[in-house]
Amino acid sequence: MGQDKILGLSDAEVVARRLGRTPQGKFEVVVRDANGEPTVICNAPFLNDGTPMPTLYWLTSPALIRDIGHIESAGGVQRADLEVDPDELKRAHEAYAAERDTLIPEDYTGPKPSGGVGGTRKGVKCLHAHYAYLLAGGDDPVGRWVQDQFE
């Protein structure tokens, strides 16, 4: 069993520890690892202070964050952007934004989060965000590309 469960920490404590700070908005754990520890969280579309939060799914697994960081530092963002079908990626951004937007009350009139995966409107911004979306059940071609890099 992982260190976080051994210490008996709550999900909120584990996520705060992994972020290095208290989360600034509401979230729920949507994917857990084999030990039951948070792997992906789903963020509310707004932080506690009302600031729009475009990143719906956030990766919290230290091992996955590290491994994907290695892919990114080796030019992975640019490679994924070149290798993934742009139409398929556009559909993933649109689906992500639509899913996030369903969490915003219809009568809300303030600033809203925008963009697709990781807040971007086009292309690839962050492999971590795409992989988190894939793990959470999203049809994300960049997330699948990242998964292929692990094999």
Side-chain angles (χ1 to χ4, degrees), residues 56-90:
L56 183 61
Y57 295 107
W58 196 277
L59 195 61
T60 64
S61 163
L64 289 173
I65 291 167
R66 180 195 63 235
D67 292 347
I68 294 171
H70 292 311
I71 295 169
E72 282 189 349
S73 67
V77 171
Q78 295 81 6
R79 284 183 28 233
D81 208 15
L82 291 171
E83 295 176 20
V84 169
D85 179 275
D87 292 330
E88 197 177 354
L89 179 56
K90 180 180 182 226

Short mmCIF file of all heavy atoms in Angstrom, two decimals, residues 56-90:
data_model
loop_
_atom_site.label_atom_id
_atom_site.label_comp_id
_atom_site.label_asym_id
_atom_site.label_seq_id
_atom_site.Cartn_x
_atom_site.Cartn_y
_atom_site.Cartn_z
N LEU A 56 -10.38 20.84 -16.25
CA LEU A 56 -11.37 19.99 -15.59
C LEU A 56 -10.71 18.80 -14.91
O LEU A 56 -10.97 18.51 -13.75
CB LEU A 56 -12.40 19.52 -16.62
CG LEU A 56 -13.55 18.68 -16.12
CD1 LEU A 56 -14.39 19.46 -15.10
CD2 LEU A 56 -14.43 18.24 -17.29
N TYR A 57 -9.83 18.10 -15.63
CA TYR A 57 -9.17 16.91 -15.08
C TYR A 57 -7.70 17.20 -14.80
O TYR A 57 -7.00 17.76 -15.64
CB TYR A 57 -9.30 15.73 -16.05
CG TYR A 57 -10.74 15.30 -16.19
CD1 TYR A 57 -11.46 15.58 -17.34
CD2 TYR A 57 -11.39 14.65 -15.15
CE1 TYR A 57 -12.78 15.21 -17.47
CE2 TYR A 57 -12.72 14.28 -15.26
CZ TYR A 57 -13.40 14.56 -16.42
OH TYR A 57 -14.72 14.20 -16.53
N TRP A 58 -7.26 16.79 -13.62
CA TRP A 58 -5.91 17.10 -13.16
C TRP A 58 -5.26 15.81 -12.68
O TRP A 58 -5.82 15.09 -11.86
CB TRP A 58 -6.00 18.09 -12.01
CG TRP A 58 -4.73 18.78 -11.68
CD1 TRP A 58 -3.72 18.30 -10.89
CD2 TRP A 58 -4.32 20.07 -12.11
NE1 TRP A 58 -2.71 19.22 -10.81
CE2 TRP A 58 -3.07 20.33 -11.55
CE3 TRP A 58 -4.91 21.05 -12.91
CZ2 TRP A 58 -2.38 21.50 -11.77
CZ3 TRP A 58 -4.23 22.22 -13.12
CH2 TRP A 58 -2.98 22.44 -12.55
N LEU A 59 -4.07 15.53 -13.18
CA LEU A 59 -3.31 14.36 -12.79
C LEU A 59 -2.64 14.60 -11.44
O LEU A 59 -2.00 15.64 -11.26
CB LEU A 59 -2.26 14.09 -13.87
CG LEU A 59 -1.56 12.75 -13.90
CD1 LEU A 59 -2.55 11.62 -14.10
CD2 LEU A 59 -0.53 12.74 -15.02
N THR A 60 -2.78 13.66 -10.50
CA THR A 60 -2.17 13.83 -9.18
C THR A 60 -1.15 12.75 -8.83
O THR A 60 -0.52 12.83 -7.79
CB THR A 60 -3.25 13.84 -8.08
OG1 THR A 60 -3.91 12.58 -8.03
CG2 THR A 60 -4.25 14.97 -8.28
N SER A 61 -0.99 11.75 -9.67
CA SER A 61 -0.06 10.67 -9.40
C SER A 61 1.38 11.15 -9.58
O SER A 61 1.78 11.51 -10.69
CB SER A 61 -0.32 9.51 -10.37
OG SER A 61 0.78 8.62 -10.39
N PRO A 62 2.18 11.14 -8.51
CA PRO A 62 3.57 11.60 -8.65
C PRO A 62 4.36 10.82 -9.71
O PRO A 62 5.12 11.41 -10.46
CB PRO A 62 4.17 11.39 -7.26
CG PRO A 62 2.99 11.41 -6.34
CD PRO A 62 1.86 10.80 -7.11
N ALA A 63 4.15 9.52 -9.79
CA ALA A 63 4.89 8.70 -10.76
C ALA A 63 4.49 9.07 -12.19
O ALA A 63 5.35 9.23 -13.06
CB ALA A 63 4.66 7.22 -10.50
N LEU A 64 3.20 9.22 -12.45
CA LEU A 64 2.75 9.59 -13.79
C LEU A 64 3.18 11.00 -14.15
O LEU A 64 3.59 11.26 -15.29
CB LEU A 64 1.24 9.44 -13.92
CG LEU A 64 0.73 8.00 -13.95
CD1 LEU A 64 -0.79 7.97 -13.91
CD2 LEU A 64 1.26 7.26 -15.17
N ILE A 65 3.10 11.91 -13.20
CA ILE A 65 3.54 13.29 -13.44
C ILE A 65 5.02 13.30 -13.84
O ILE A 65 5.41 13.96 -14.80
CB ILE A 65 3.28 14.18 -12.22
CG1 ILE A 65 1.76 14.38 -12.03
CG2 ILE A 65 4.00 15.52 -12.34
CD1 ILE A 65 1.38 14.98 -10.69
N ARG A 66 5.82 12.54 -13.12
CA ARG A 66 7.26 12.45 -13.42
C ARG A 66 7.49 11.83 -14.80
O ARG A 66 8.23 12.38 -15.62
CB ARG A 66 7.96 11.61 -12.35
CG ARG A 66 9.46 11.46 -12.57
CD ARG A 66 10.08 10.35 -11.73
NE ARG A 66 9.49 9.08 -12.13
CZ ARG A 66 8.89 8.21 -11.30
NH1 ARG A 66 8.82 8.46 -10.02
NH2 ARG A 66 8.38 7.08 -11.76
N ASP A 67 6.84 10.71 -15.06
CA ASP A 67 7.06 10.00 -16.33
C ASP A 67 6.61 10.84 -17.52
O ASP A 67 7.30 10.89 -18.55
CB ASP A 67 6.32 8.66 -16.33
CG ASP A 67 6.92 7.68 -15.32
OD1 ASP A 67 8.03 7.91 -14.80
OD2 ASP A 67 6.25 6.66 -15.05
N ILE A 68 5.48 11.52 -17.40
CA ILE A 68 5.01 12.37 -18.49
C ILE A 68 5.90 13.60 -18.62
O ILE A 68 6.15 14.08 -19.73
CB ILE A 68 3.52 12.74 -18.30
CG1 ILE A 68 2.68 11.46 -18.42
CG2 ILE A 68 3.07 13.79 -19.32
CD1 ILE A 68 1.23 11.61 -18.04
N GLY A 69 6.42 14.10 -17.51
CA GLY A 69 7.38 15.20 -17.56
C GLY A 69 8.61 14.84 -18.38
O GLY A 69 9.13 15.68 -19.13
N HIS A 70 9.06 13.59 -18.27
CA HIS A 70 10.20 13.14 -19.07
C HIS A 70 9.85 13.15 -20.56
O HIS A 70 10.67 13.54 -21.40
CB HIS A 70 10.65 11.74 -18.65
CG HIS A 70 11.26 11.67 -17.29
ND1 HIS A 70 12.26 12.52 -16.86
CD2 HIS A 70 11.02 10.84 -16.25
CE1 HIS A 70 12.60 12.22 -15.61
NE2 HIS A 70 11.85 11.21 -15.22
N ILE A 71 8.62 12.72 -20.88
CA ILE A 71 8.19 12.73 -22.28
C ILE A 71 8.13 14.17 -22.79
O ILE A 71 8.59 14.47 -23.89
CB ILE A 71 6.82 12.03 -22.42
CG1 ILE A 71 6.94 10.54 -22.06
CG2 ILE A 71 6.27 12.20 -23.84
CD1 ILE A 71 5.60 9.82 -21.91
N GLU A 72 7.57 15.06 -21.97
CA GLU A 72 7.48 16.47 -22.38
C GLU A 72 8.87 17.08 -22.58
O GLU A 72 9.11 17.79 -23.55
CB GLU A 72 6.70 17.29 -21.35
CG GLU A 72 5.21 17.10 -21.44
CD GLU A 72 4.42 18.07 -20.57
OE1 GLU A 72 5.02 18.77 -19.72
OE2 GLU A 72 3.20 18.13 -20.74
N SER A 73 9.78 16.80 -21.66
CA SER A 73 11.11 17.41 -21.75
C SER A 73 11.90 16.88 -22.95
O SER A 73 12.86 17.51 -23.38
CB SER A 73 11.90 17.21 -20.45
OG SER A 73 12.21 15.85 -20.26
N ALA A 74 11.48 15.75 -23.49
CA ALA A 74 12.13 15.20 -24.68
C ALA A 74 11.41 15.63 -25.96
O ALA A 74 11.58 15.01 -27.02
CB ALA A 74 12.16 13.67 -24.59
N GLY A 75 10.61 16.70 -25.87
CA GLY A 75 9.93 17.22 -27.05
C GLY A 75 8.58 16.59 -27.31
O GLY A 75 8.04 16.70 -28.42
N GLY A 76 8.01 15.94 -26.31
CA GLY A 76 6.76 15.22 -26.48
C GLY A 76 5.57 16.06 -26.89
O GLY A 76 4.73 15.60 -27.66
N VAL A 77 5.48 17.29 -26.39
CA VAL A 77 4.35 18.14 -26.76
C VAL A 77 4.36 18.39 -28.27
O VAL A 77 3.35 18.22 -28.96
CB VAL A 77 4.35 19.46 -25.97
CG1 VAL A 77 3.30 20.42 -26.51
CG2 VAL A 77 4.11 19.20 -24.48
N GLN A 78 5.51 18.76 -28.79
CA GLN A 78 5.63 19.04 -30.22
C GLN A 78 5.41 17.77 -31.04
O GLN A 78 4.75 17.81 -32.09
CB GLN A 78 7.00 19.65 -30.54
CG GLN A 78 7.25 21.00 -29.92
CD GLN A 78 7.68 20.94 -28.45
OE1 GLN A 78 7.91 19.88 -27.88
NE2 GLN A 78 7.76 22.10 -27.82
N ARG A 79 5.96 16.64 -30.59
CA ARG A 79 5.79 15.38 -31.32
C ARG A 79 4.32 14.98 -31.35
O ARG A 79 3.80 14.58 -32.40
CB ARG A 79 6.64 14.28 -30.69
CG ARG A 79 8.10 14.41 -31.01
CD ARG A 79 8.99 13.29 -30.47
NE ARG A 79 8.36 12.01 -30.29
CZ ARG A 79 8.38 11.32 -29.13
NH1 ARG A 79 8.99 11.80 -28.07
NH2 ARG A 79 7.80 10.15 -29.06
N ALA A 80 3.65 15.06 -30.21
CA ALA A 80 2.23 14.70 -30.17
C ALA A 80 1.43 15.61 -31.08
O ALA A 80 0.54 15.15 -31.81
CB ALA A 80 1.71 14.78 -28.74
N ASP A 81 1.74 16.88 -31.06
CA ASP A 81 1.03 17.84 -31.91
C ASP A 81 1.18 17.49 -33.39
O ASP A 81 0.24 17.66 -34.18
CB ASP A 81 1.55 19.25 -31.63
CG ASP A 81 0.51 20.33 -31.88
OD1 ASP A 81 -0.69 20.02 -32.01
OD2 ASP A 81 0.92 21.51 -31.95
N LEU A 82 2.34 16.99 -33.78
CA LEU A 82 2.59 16.62 -35.17
C LEU A 82 1.98 15.26 -35.53
O LEU A 82 1.56 15.05 -36.67
CB LEU A 82 4.10 16.57 -35.45
CG LEU A 82 4.83 17.91 -35.45
CD1 LEU A 82 6.34 17.68 -35.52
CD2 LEU A 82 4.36 18.76 -36.63
N GLU A 83 1.94 14.34 -34.58
CA GLU A 83 1.55 12.96 -34.86
C GLU A 83 0.07 12.65 -34.69
O GLU A 83 -0.43 11.67 -35.24
CB GLU A 83 2.39 12.00 -34.01
CG GLU A 83 3.87 12.05 -34.37
CD GLU A 83 4.74 11.19 -33.46
OE1 GLU A 83 4.21 10.25 -32.81
OE2 GLU A 83 5.96 11.44 -33.42
N VAL A 84 -0.64 13.46 -33.92
CA VAL A 84 -2.05 13.20 -33.65
C VAL A 84 -2.91 13.88 -34.71
O VAL A 84 -2.63 15.00 -35.13
CB VAL A 84 -2.41 13.70 -32.23
CG1 VAL A 84 -3.90 13.70 -32.00
CG2 VAL A 84 -1.72 12.85 -31.18
N ASP A 85 -3.96 13.20 -35.12
CA ASP A 85 -4.89 13.74 -36.12
C ASP A 85 -5.52 15.03 -35.60
O ASP A 85 -6.16 15.02 -34.54
CB ASP A 85 -5.96 12.71 -36.43
CG ASP A 85 -6.96 13.21 -37.44
OD1 ASP A 85 -7.92 13.89 -37.03
OD2 ASP A 85 -6.77 12.93 -38.64
N PRO A 86 -5.35 16.16 -36.31
CA PRO A 86 -5.87 17.44 -35.81
C PRO A 86 -7.39 17.48 -35.68
O PRO A 86 -7.91 18.15 -34.78
CB PRO A 86 -5.36 18.47 -36.82
CG PRO A 86 -4.90 17.71 -38.00
CD PRO A 86 -4.62 16.31 -37.56
N ASP A 87 -8.10 16.79 -36.54
CA ASP A 87 -9.56 16.79 -36.44
C ASP A 87 -10.02 16.02 -35.20
O ASP A 87 -10.94 16.42 -34.50
CB ASP A 87 -10.19 16.18 -37.70
CG ASP A 87 -10.00 17.06 -38.92
OD1 ASP A 87 -9.92 18.31 -38.75
OD2 ASP A 87 -9.92 16.52 -40.04
N GLU A 88 -9.34 14.91 -34.93
CA GLU A 88 -9.66 14.13 -33.74
C GLU A 88 -9.34 14.94 -32.48
O GLU A 88 -10.10 14.93 -31.50
CB GLU A 88 -8.86 12.82 -33.77
CG GLU A 88 -9.37 11.77 -32.83
CD GLU A 88 -8.61 10.46 -32.94
OE1 GLU A 88 -7.74 10.30 -33.81
OE2 GLU A 88 -8.90 9.59 -32.11
N LEU A 89 -8.22 15.66 -32.50
CA LEU A 89 -7.85 16.50 -31.36
C LEU A 89 -8.86 17.62 -31.17
O LEU A 89 -9.25 17.93 -30.04
CB LEU A 89 -6.44 17.07 -31.56
CG LEU A 89 -5.92 17.98 -30.46
CD1 LEU A 89 -5.95 17.32 -29.10
CD2 LEU A 89 -4.51 18.43 -30.80
N LYS A 90 -9.31 18.22 -32.26
CA LYS A 90 -10.32 19.28 -32.17
C LYS A 90 -11.59 18.75 -31.51
O LYS A 90 -12.18 19.41 -30.64
CB LYS A 90 -10.63 19.82 -33.57
CG LYS A 90 -11.66 20.92 -33.58
CD LYS A 90 -11.92 21.42 -34.99
CE LYS A 90 -12.92 22.56 -34.92
NZ LYS A 90 -13.97 22.46 -35.87
#
